[in-house]
């Protein structure tokens, strides 16, 4: 190739990545535009360019310093004795090489994480390294190529450029850390040791730490590449010795070393805060040892590093020898302080703290208990004692009539198993999960009917192999259809679940239920179906293109299929040729341009998993738990909603932190120290529109993000009332709170230290397995109210004992939403827990004999979730019994077992079981003298 053609070839090579980048930006911009959030996408790009630009500015400063360093080289006269030679020179080379390779490895790791999961950079050192093998191999080869010829200046320049580019990528992609650190407001809560506001740990510490780490890495990269180029210059390698720095090199080296020491001092000063969220024995945070030993030593090291930086700067006069001695003394003191923290800590802990641990750690335990309860909102729990009667009476049944009407007899899993056999209708439909919810279906009552709702989604992985063509996957099989709705408290005569809504398309059946007093018109009014196609759901789905000249499969109609064209508003427009080219580039699929099926109305539907959709708009949210479907009337549709659209997904968004002073991590090992259900996201199942509502306006983290993106969020009051009625306390959050409550229900440090009042989640027998009792929804009365409300309930027992200690209940309805109630049972009166009642059931001769008969007949007995329900002034234990064929088959609700903790009765329905329980009580009373 001639020299004249080389620039053209270079430009041609640059065109392809430039166009790829343009295509991605254009498609992403269009994707955000469908929500009217293109400004937010532009803002995010601006943050990234600003971060990368500031990092590049510092890189250019270090590059300028490095250039001056390289030009300061003066050849050493021959015959001069080297300052470093032999083994000392070898160690210097090894140290310099180790620093350089370590910096390159860390910057590569950071850049990788920044590209894949930038919001994990706040705690990058604790993220497990699970790279894609292809990228890993490329990175290893790249670093080897850079370091294979480190004796050449060109390779050293390449190492410097590579490491600097990685740091610029990290600085740009970590825009979320910088934005939150700047905008997060103070909470007004300060830690009792260092006096920093709670917001410092929630949003500022990680940003400051990462900024200082990037500065230190860039300085080390600059110094190590510069030093290596000097140490390996001829004739150093041939003579195996280094003559020393000349005066100009020393003058350049001093400010660089001073800056490095100042950055190290700032990092050391900053890591004092890490003591506040590092477990110290029983204390979740800084204990006596941290306050009286580690903290003073870290402060001393930071001060010594600042003084050492001062000794590196030019001094007036010729005090070189004094400065060297002072620097050596300061370095020795800093090293002794670091070693003292490492060596003295276990000794002081063993000799001083352990003998007087309770006395010394009591004030710090108090801080830890208070901070943990606040971080998980346990401090807002309303606690009251309750002493249930030992026997259930007719008066209790009358008082608890509202609760008994809605006792859940169907668990989600048997319901899903039945739906998958009766309602999936085709192999490619899937019921991914079922949600317990409530709807006001009874026109004559103010109370809600508890139901289980399950969406019928399309699972492309279940398509037959011959039907899994490119056109079918992206143009034909584009959506699921409809949902099922079942009452939880009744069954059909054959034991199968009753349905309010079942089947699909024109064959959809909407039914009332006479035994529940619910008419068909009530269901049609409160649970409208309307346009039931589900283009956006819980299952992962590939991109779809709609509408096109190819008809989309809508739903089966007997042996035939019904087809339609998408008429929603979602998607990236494909009207113009250049938009189709960028979309094909974005998807890396050239077949997209040759399909011939696109029209001017065609749109590209991306990110059809509702959680992925929310995560792309708000990547700073943690999305725990499964989304759940609701179908509600939209007669007074608010802004952003369509009147004829009724199906919506509700996704729970959380803000969390690992860096909260004195807050404990979770017992299951997750390092969370703070969590809030700050956002309720609503996703239109047909149009894909996303609304983010702030659920915790007092949370500093969401306040900070609302300051960054004020148009992204709406206040919860703006949510349509028909949707607000279906909000629930997330089970994922509730389980985290339960985990912490097991230990942190104790507020007295002495009792907490002794550990003699620890709770546990009880076990139950489900099917043939012993499993922990999961939180369950019930509709029950909360005194003094006479009406039932929708609760999420978790029974709790003492550690290593099966008696019932307490209930934790989360309220979900109306103005009481989010309130936590702890009902504590007396410790001196044995109240049976789920394990004990399960044993009573299985030991009952009549029941065990019936179970054995069913087992011998080829059926499998499945004991469902054991519910502990407050009824009047007593407790009622209810366990559904399902029967299914051992080789598979439909689970049928065969029996209901009820108990008051003393007696057990089994019957075909709940009312009969309760009457039998009361009859047995009367018989025992009449035979007692």
């Amino acid at each position: 190739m001639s020299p004249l053609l080389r620039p053209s070839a270079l430009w041609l090579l640059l065109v392809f990545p430039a166009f790829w980048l343009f295509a991605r930006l254009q498609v992403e911009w269009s994707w955000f535009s469908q929500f009217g959030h293109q400004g937010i996408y532009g803002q995010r790009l601006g943050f990234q360019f600003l971060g990368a630009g500031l990092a590049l500015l510092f890189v250019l400063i270090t590059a300028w310093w490095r250039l001056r360093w390289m030009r300061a080289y003066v050849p050493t006269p021959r015959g001069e004795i080297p300052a470093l030679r032999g083994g000392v020179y070898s160690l210097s080379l090894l140290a310099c090489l180790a620093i350089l390779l370590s910096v390159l490895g860390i910057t590569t790791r950071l850049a990788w994480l920044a590209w894949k999961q930038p919001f994990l950079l706040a705690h990058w050192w604790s993220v497990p390294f699970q790279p894609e093998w292809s990228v890993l191999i490329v990175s290893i080869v790249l670093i080897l190529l850079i370091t294979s010829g480190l004796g050449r200046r060109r390779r050293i320049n390449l190492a410097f450029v590579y490491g600097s580019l990685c740091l610029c990528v990290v600085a740009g992609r970590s825009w979320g850390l910088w934005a939150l650190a700047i905008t997060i407001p103070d909470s007004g809560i300060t830690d009792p040791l260092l006096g920093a506001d709670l917001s410092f740990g929630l949003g500022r510490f990680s940003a400051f730490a990462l900024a200082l780490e990037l500065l230190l890495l860039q300085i080390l990269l600059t110094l190590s590449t510069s030093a290596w180029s000097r140490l390996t210059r001829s004739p150093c390698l041939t003579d195996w010795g280094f003559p020393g720095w000349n005066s100009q090199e020393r003058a350049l080296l001093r400010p660089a070393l001073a800056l490095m020491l100042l950055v190290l001092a700032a990092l050391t000063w900053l890591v004092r805060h890490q003591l506040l969220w590092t477990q110290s024995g029983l204390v979740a945070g800084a204990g006596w040892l941290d306050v009286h030993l580690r903290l003073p030593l870290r402060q001393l090291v930071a001060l010594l590093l600042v003084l050492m930086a001062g000794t590196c700067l030019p001094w007036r006069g010729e005090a070189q020898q004094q400065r060297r001695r002072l620097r050596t003394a300061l370095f020795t003191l800093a090293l002794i302080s670091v070693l003292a923290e490492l060596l003295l800590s276990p000794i002081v802990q063993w000799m001083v703290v352990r003998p007087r641990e309770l006395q010394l750690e009591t004030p710090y335990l108090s801080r830890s208990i208070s901070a943990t309860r606040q971080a998980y909102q346990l401090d807002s729990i309303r606690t009251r004692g309750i002493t249930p009667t030992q026997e259930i009476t007719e008066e209790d049944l009358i008082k608890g009539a509202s609760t008994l009407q809605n006792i859940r007899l169907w668990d989600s899993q048997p319901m899903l198993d039945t739906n998958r056999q009766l309602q999936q209708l085709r192999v490619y439909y899937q019921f991914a999960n079922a949600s317990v919810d409530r709807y006001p279906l009874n026109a004559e009552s103010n109370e809600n009917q508890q139901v289980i709702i399950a969406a019928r989604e399309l699972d492309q992985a279940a398509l037959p192999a011959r039907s899994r063509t490119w056109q079918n996957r992206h143009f034909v099989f584009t959506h699921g259809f409809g949902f099922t709705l079942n009452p939880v408290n009744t069954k059909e005569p054959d034991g199968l679940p009753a349905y309010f809504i079942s089947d699909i398309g024109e064959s959809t059946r909407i039914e009332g239920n006479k035994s529940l007093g619910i008419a068909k018109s009530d269901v049609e009014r409160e649970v409208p179906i309307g346009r039931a196609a589900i283009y956006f759901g819980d299952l992962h789905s590939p991109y779809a293109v709609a509408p096109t000249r190819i008809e989309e499969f809508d739903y089966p109609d007997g042996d035939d299929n019904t087809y339609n064209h998408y008429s929603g508003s979602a998607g990236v427009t494909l009207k113009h040729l250049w938009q189709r080219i960028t979309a094909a580039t974005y998807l890396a699929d050239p077949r997209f341009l040759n399909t011939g099926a696109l029209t001017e109305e065609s749109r590209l539907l991306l990110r059809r998993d509702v959680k992925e959709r929310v995560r792309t708009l708000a990547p700073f949210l943690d999305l725990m738990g499964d989304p759940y479907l609701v179908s509600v009337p939209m007669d007074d549709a608010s802004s952003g909603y369509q009147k004829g659209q009724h199906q919506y997904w509700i996704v729970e968004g959380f803000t969390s932190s690992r860096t909260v002073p004195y807050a404990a991590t979770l017992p299951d090992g997750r390092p969370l120290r703070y969590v809030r259900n700050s956002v309720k996201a609503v996703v239109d199942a047909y149009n894909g529109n996303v609304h983010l509502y702030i659920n915790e306006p007092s949370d500093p983290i969401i306040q900070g993000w609302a300051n960054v993106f004020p148009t992204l969020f709406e206040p919860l009051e703006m949510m349509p009332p028909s949707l607000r009625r279906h909000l629930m306390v997330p089970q994922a959050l509730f389980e985290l709170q339960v985990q912490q409550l097991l230990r942190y229900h104790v507020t007295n440090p002495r009792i907490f230290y002794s550990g003699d009042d620890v709770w546990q989640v009880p076990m139950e027998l489900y099917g043939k397995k012993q499993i922990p009792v999961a939180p369950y929804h019930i509709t029950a009365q909360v005194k003094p109210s006479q009406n039932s409300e929708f609760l999420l309930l978790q029974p709790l027992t003492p550690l290593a004992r099966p008696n019932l200690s307490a209930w934790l209940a989360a309220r979900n309805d109306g103005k009481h939403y989010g309130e936590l109630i702890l009902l504590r049972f007396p410790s001196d009166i044995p109240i049976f827990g789920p394990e004990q009642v399960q044993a009573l059931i299985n030991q009952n001769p009549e029941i065990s004999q019936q179970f054995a008969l069913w087992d011998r007949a080829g059926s499998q007995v499945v004991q469902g979730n054991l519910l502990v329900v407050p009824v009047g002034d007593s407790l009622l234990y209810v366990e559904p019994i399902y029967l299914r064929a051992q080789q598979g088959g439909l689970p049928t609700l065969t029996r209901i077992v009820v108990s008051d903790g003393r007696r057990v009765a089994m019957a075909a329905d709940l009312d009969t079981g309760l009457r039998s329980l009361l009859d047995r009580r009367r018989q025992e009373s009449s035979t007692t003298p």
Side-chain angles (χ1 to χ4, degrees):
M1 182 182 292
S2 66
L4 293 175
L5 294 178
R6 286 175 186 170
S8 301
L10 181 61
W11 281 109
L12 188 61
L13 289 175
L14 293 176
V15 164
F16 291 104
F19 180 75
W20 175 83
L21 180 61
F22 167 77
R24 290 198 64 85
L25 291 176
Q26 191 277 325
V27 173
E28 293 290 357
W29 182 275
S30 299
W31 189 85
F32 277 83
S33 297
Q34 66 183 312
F35 310 106
H37 291 326
Q38 63 271 24
I40 290 176
Y41 183 63
Q43 193 176 348
R44 282 163 53 168
L45 289 177
F47 288 150
Q48 295 183 61
F49 284 124
L50 179 60
L54 291 175
L56 181 60
L57 179 62
F58 184 69
V59 165
L60 292 176
I61 293 173
T62 57
W64 171 78
W65 180 94
R66 193 172 176 279
L67 180 62
R68 290 192 61 192
W69 168 275
M70 301 300 292
R71 289 176 177 175
Y73 169 71
V74 176
T76 305
R78 291 196 170 273
E80 185 173 317
I81 299 175
L84 300 176
R85 55 184 173 176
V88 177
Y89 176 67
S90 301
L91 290 175
S92 301
L93 283 175
L94 287 175
C96 186
L97 181 61
I99 292 172
L100 176 56
L101 293 181
S102 299
V103 170
L104 290 177
I106 292 173
T107 54
T108 301
R109 166 74 170 131
L110 284 172
W112 197 328
L113 191 61
W115 189 258
K116 303 290 287 185
Q117 295 174 300
F119 281 85
L120 295 183
L121 286 170
H123 43 86
W124 62 269
W125 59 89
S126 64
V127 178
F129 191 60
Q130 297 176 341
E132 300 171 5
W133 285 107
S134 58
V135 184
L136 175 63
I137 292 171
V138 170
S139 300
I140 292 174
V141 170
L142 186 58
I143 294 178
L144 288 177
L145 286 175
I146 291 172
T147 58
S148 62
L150 285 173
R152 304 178 185 178
R153 286 183 61 186
R154 204 174 275 179
R155 295 289 172 81
I156 284 293
N157 290 337
L158 183 58
F160 177 79
V161 171
Y162 170 77
S164 299
L165 286 177
C166 286
L167 290 175
C168 289
V169 169
V170 175
R173 293 285 292 169
S174 53
W175 62 270
L177 292 180
W178 321 130
L180 182 61
I182 294 170
T183 59
I184 188 170
D186 287 342
S187 66
I189 302 172
T190 57
D191 77 75
L193 183 60
L194 298 178
D197 190 85
L198 176 64
S199 297
F200 181 83
L202 293 177
R204 299 192 186 108
F205 172 83
S206 300
F208 292 165
L210 182 62
L212 291 171
E213 288 161 358
L214 294 182
L215 286 174
L216 182 60
L217 286 171
Q218 183 62 34
I219 294 170
L220 288 174
L221 177 66
T222 305
L223 291 175
S224 59
T225 54
S226 301
W228 182 267
S229 66
R230 183 67 179 86
L231 290 170
T232 56
R233 271 184 183 271
S234 178
C236 294
L237 289 177
T238 55
D239 296 343
W240 206 249
F242 175 63
W245 316 110
N246 60 47
S247 59
Q248 191 174 356
E249 286 173 333
R250 283 195 296 270
L252 287 169
L253 194 58
R254 288 190 189 109
L257 289 175
L259 179 60
M260 183 187 72
L261 290 170
L262 288 174
V263 173
L264 276 173
L267 264 175
T268 305
W269 189 260
L270 186 66
V271 296
R272 299 176 310 142
H273 291 271
Q274 283 188 324
L275 295 173
L276 298 174
W277 44 78
T278 301
Q279 188 79 25
S280 177
L282 284 173
V283 180
W288 187 92
L289 181 66
D290 299 305
V291 173
H292 293 85
L293 179 65
R294 294 192 178 110
L295 182 60
L297 286 175
R298 292 188 184 187
Q299 292 172 332
L300 176 61
V301 170
L303 177 62
L304 292 173
L305 288 172
V306 172
L307 295 176
M308 286 174 63
T311 64
C312 293
L313 297 175
W315 286 16
R316 291 183 179 180
E318 299 294 330
Q320 297 293 335
Q321 196 68 25
Q322 296 178 10
R323 177 164 56 182
R324 188 176 294 113
R325 284 198 293 266
L326 178 58
R327 188 161 52 238
T328 303
L330 292 173
F331 175 77
T332 303
L333 283 174
L335 183 60
I336 291 173
S337 300
V338 173
L339 292 176
E341 179 177 343
L342 296 175
L343 300 177
L344 289 180
S345 294
I347 297 174
V348 175
Q349 177 74 20
W350 182 65
M351 293 192 63
V352 178
V353 178
R354 285 291 176 85
R356 299 186 296 159
E357 192 167 35
L358 178 60
Q359 178 186 349
L360 296 178
E361 300 287 21
T362 292
Y364 308 108
L365 272 175
S366 297
R367 295 176 183 178
S368 176
I369 293 169
S370 176
T372 303
R373 288 175 61 83
Q374 190 275 334
Y376 287 89
Q377 297 178 302
L378 304 183
D379 56 341
S380 64
I381 293 177
R382 292 193 297 125
T383 303
R384 61 183 178 90
I386 178 174
T387 305
T389 58
Q390 296 293 306
E391 298 177 336
I392 197 166
T393 64
E394 289 192 23
E395 185 180 354
D396 292 323
L397 299 184
I398 295 172
K399 289 181 180 179
S402 177
T403 299
L404 294 171
Q405 289 171 4
N406 256 316
I407 285 184
R408 179 163 65 92
L409 304 179
W410 282 98
D411 300 337
S412 297
Q413 192 56 51
M415 185 68 75
L416 276 176
D417 292 342
T418 302
N419 274 351
R420 287 165 182 164
Q421 296 189 55
L422 297 180
Q423 290 294 317
Q424 281 188 180
L425 306 177
R426 294 291 189 273
V427 295
Y428 39 77
Y429 283 133
Q430 178 68 32
F431 289 97
N433 60 65
S435 304
V436 180
D437 204 343
R438 70 283 193 202
Y439 284 82
L441 298 182
N442 196 324
E444 299 179 359
S445 172
N446 294 327
E447 297 180 0
N448 292 324
Q449 168 65 42
Q450 195 172 335
V451 299
I452 291 180
I453 184 169
R456 186 185 292 106
E457 299 185 68
L458 192 140
D459 182 9
Q460 296 234 358
L463 283 172
R466 64 179 182 275
S467 300
R468 214 174 297 156
T469 64
W470 180 78
Q471 193 174 81
N472 275 343
R473 291 176 65 242
H474 300 296
F475 291 78
V476 178
F477 291 96
T478 57
H479 59 276
F481 198 97
F483 57 93
T484 60
L485 190 74
N486 308 80
V488 301
N489 52 343
T490 189
K491 62 174 183 174
E492 296 292 348
D494 56 3
L496 293 175
Y499 284 90
F500 288 131
I501 297 177
S502 59
D503 296 341
I504 194 170
E506 298 295 330
S507 303
T508 299
R509 291 192 299 169
I510 302 176
E511 305 172 78
N513 191 292
K514 289 184 178 180
S515 63
L516 301 176
I518 297 172
K520 176 181 178 181
S521 59
D522 297 328
V523 179
E524 291 174 332
R525 181 187 68 253
E526 298 297 338
V527 196
I529 297 176
R531 190 169 49 189
I534 299 176
Y535 280 81
F536 302 90
D538 189 21
L539 290 178
H540 176 73
S541 300
Y543 72 86
V545 184
T548 64
R549 293 187 177 92
I550 301 173
E551 290 185 321
E552 304 165 52
F553 170 76
D554 201 22
Y555 57 85
D557 188 6
D559 295 330
D560 297 326
N561 292 332
T562 301
Y563 296 86
N564 79 332
H565 288 288
Y566 180 65
S567 59
S569 58
V572 175
T573 181
L574 301 172
K575 183 176 182 180
H576 302 292
L577 177 61
W578 67 271
Q579 293 172 325
R580 300 175 186 181
I581 294 173
T582 55
T585 306
Y586 180 89
L587 299 170
D589 195 343
R591 293 173 294 181
F592 198 74
L593 296 173
N594 195 38
T595 174
L598 301 182
T599 67
E600 290 189 354
E601 288 76 30
S602 296
R603 286 185 293 277
L604 176 63
L605 276 58
L606 297 169
R607 301 184 177 106
R608 299 199 292 134
D609 178 344
V610 293
K611 291 180 73 171
E612 183 184 4
R613 208 164 179 82
V614 174
R615 188 179 293 112
T616 304
L617 282 173
F620 43 82
L621 294 177
D622 295 326
L623 306 179
M624 295 186 283
D626 294 321
Y628 59 95
L629 184 75
V630 298
S631 186
V632 295
M634 277 290 175
D635 297 331
D636 53 345
S638 306
S639 175
Y641 294 88
Q642 292 185 4
K643 187 175 180 180
Q645 176 58 25
H646 304 293
Q647 285 79 47
Y648 298 90
W649 294 93
I650 296 180
V651 184
E652 306 290 354
F654 300 85
T655 52
S656 61
S657 176
R658 302 181 178 205
T659 50
V660 174
Y662 284 103
T665 56
L666 292 164
D668 64 8
R670 279 181 285 179
L672 291 181
R673 289 182 172 86
Y674 175 94
V675 65
R676 291 290 185 273
N677 179 211
S678 295
V679 172
K680 300 284 189 180
V682 177
V683 184
D684 189 325
Y686 188 80
N687 296 294
N689 295 329
V690 179
H691 297 265
L692 302 178
Y693 297 97
I694 294 179
N695 183 53
E696 291 275 1
S698 60
D699 172 36
I701 299 178
I702 204 62
Q703 288 177 9
W705 285 117
N707 291 334
V708 178
F709 304 119
T711 61
L712 183 61
F713 301 101
E714 303 173 64
L716 191 63
E717 292 74 22
M718 296 297 292
M719 182 184 289
S722 57
L723 285 172
R724 287 192 67 182
R725 286 194 289 268
H726 292 275
L727 295 183
M728 290 184 271
V729 172
Q731 185 167 329
L733 172 64
F734 189 71
E735 289 174 346
L736 301 185
Q737 293 172 320
V738 167
Q739 281 193 53
Q740 294 292 34
L741 186 68
L742 300 179
R743 190 73 187 268
Y744 286 91
H745 66 276
V746 177
T747 57
N748 185 310
R750 180 178 293 274
I751 299 175
F752 186 92
Y753 178 81
S754 66
D756 60 358
D757 189 12
V758 180
W759 293 342
Q760 67 178 2
V761 173
M763 304 294 287
E764 68 170 339
L765 184 68
Y766 192 89
K768 301 295 183 182
K769 297 180 181 179
Q770 281 284 119
I771 62 171
V773 175
Y776 50 84
H777 287 98
I778 66 169
T779 302
Q781 295 158 292
V782 177
K783 291 183 177 181
S785 173
Q786 295 299 314
N787 293 325
S788 292
E789 56 183 281
F790 196 55
L791 303 174
L792 182 60
L793 193 70
Q794 176 70 69
L796 301 166
T797 61
L799 185 65
R801 286 187 293 152
N803 293 338
L804 203 60
S805 289
W807 273 333
L808 182 65
R811 306 175 77 175
N812 293 276
D813 293 339
K815 63 181 181 180
H816 299 297
Y817 172 85
E819 292 180 5
L820 295 176
I821 300 175
L822 183 65
L823 301 180
R824 301 198 60 166
F825 301 107
S827 57
D828 56 343
I829 300 176
I831 307 296
F832 274 24
E835 290 179 79
Q836 293 170 306
V837 174
Q838 196 96 60
L840 279 179
I841 294 172
N842 293 329
Q843 293 167 7
N844 184 279
E846 297 178 10
I847 295 176
S848 60
Q849 182 181 10
Q850 183 63 63
F851 285 177
L853 286 173
W854 281 328
D855 284 335
R856 285 197 296 270
S859 297
Q860 179 185 1
V861 177
V862 178
Q863 294 178 251
N865 291 132
L866 179 64
L867 308 181
V868 189
V869 183
V871 176
D873 296 323
S874 64
L875 299 180
L876 178 67
Y877 303 82
V878 180
E879 182 177 65
I881 306 298
Y882 309 102
L883 208 60
R884 67 186 308 166
Q886 290 184 354
Q887 302 301 321
L890 292 171
T892 57
L893 179 58
T894 305
R895 294 290 188 272
I896 311 296
V897 178
V898 294
S899 174
D900 59 2
R902 297 184 62 183
R903 304 169 190 85
V904 178
M906 185 171 73
D909 57 72
L910 181 63
D911 289 340
T912 305
L914 291 173
R915 287 197 300 270
S916 177
L917 198 64
L918 291 177
D919 289 343
R920 294 187 181 189
R921 176 178 172 273
R922 295 190 194 97
Q923 291 173 6
E924 291 178 8
S925 299
S926 61
T927 57
T928 301

